[in-house]
Amino acid sequence: DELGRGTSTFDGTALAHAVVKHLVDRSGCIAMFATHYHSLLDDWRGHRDVRLGHMECICSDDSDDTGIGGGAAPSDHDITFLYTLGEGACPRSFGINVARLAGLPVRVLEMARQKSMAFEAMCGGKPS
């Protein structure tokens, strides 16, 4: 869904949806389509020609969904990507954990975690 980069979330989601629809309905090809637009999962879940998958990983501390924990040192929350394709949609987002791996300050990560929780609450508890 890199076609949607630089656009609004709505335009990006619309472009990604249109590309998947074209691949499924018109091309009929075998393709792997990676997306950060979680609403696409709802659009295509259960379609006979689409299978959902995710890259599996292991988190050393699963006490919360943030990857930063309740005041713990960032090194206490390690994520290991397994480079294995798992069945179904990814059960949660690891964006904040990846941002931690990139070296963003804990204060910024905590603010992002709070904002993410607010966005999820607005969307009925689903990552968006």
Side-chain angles (χ1 to χ4, degrees):
D1 65 10
E2 290 299 318
L3 292 172
R5 293 284 178 221
T7 67
S8 72
T9 299
F10 300 118
D11 285 351
T13 301
L15 284 165
H17 179 88
V19 168
V20 173
K21 184 162 180 56
H22 178 81
L23 290 172
V24 171
D25 293 347
R26 303 281 315 261
S27 296
C29 65
I30 295 174
M32 181 178 286
F33 188 89
T35 186
H36 295 280
Y37 298 121
H38 292 267
S39 63
L40 286 182
L41 304 176
D42 294 333
D43 293 346
W44 294 97
R45 186 181 322 274
H47 189 284
R48 66 181 177 87
D49 294 325
V50 174
R51 287 191 313 206
L52 301 180
H54 66 278
M55 296 309 297
E56 293 184 337
C57 64
I58 296 173
C59 294
S60 66
D61 182 354
D62 247 4
S63 62
D64 63 25
D65 288 346
T66 66
I68 60 174
S75 61
D76 292 341
H77 303 276
D78 293 326
I79 185 168
T80 303
F81 292 100
L82 301 177
Y83 302 99
T84 303
L85 185 61
E87 297 259 341
C90 188
R92 65 184 224 208
S93 175
F94 294 101
I96 294 173
N97 198 304
V98 171
R100 180 194 56 80
L101 291 172
L104 271 65
V106 172
R107 198 169 109 207
V108 171
L109 297 174
E110 180 57 28
M111 185 185 307
R113 184 182 74 78
Q114 293 295 326
K115 215 40 165 161
S116 177
M117 289 170 47
F119 288 146
E120 285 186 31
M122 260 185 355
C123 296
K126 296 190 313 190
S128 58

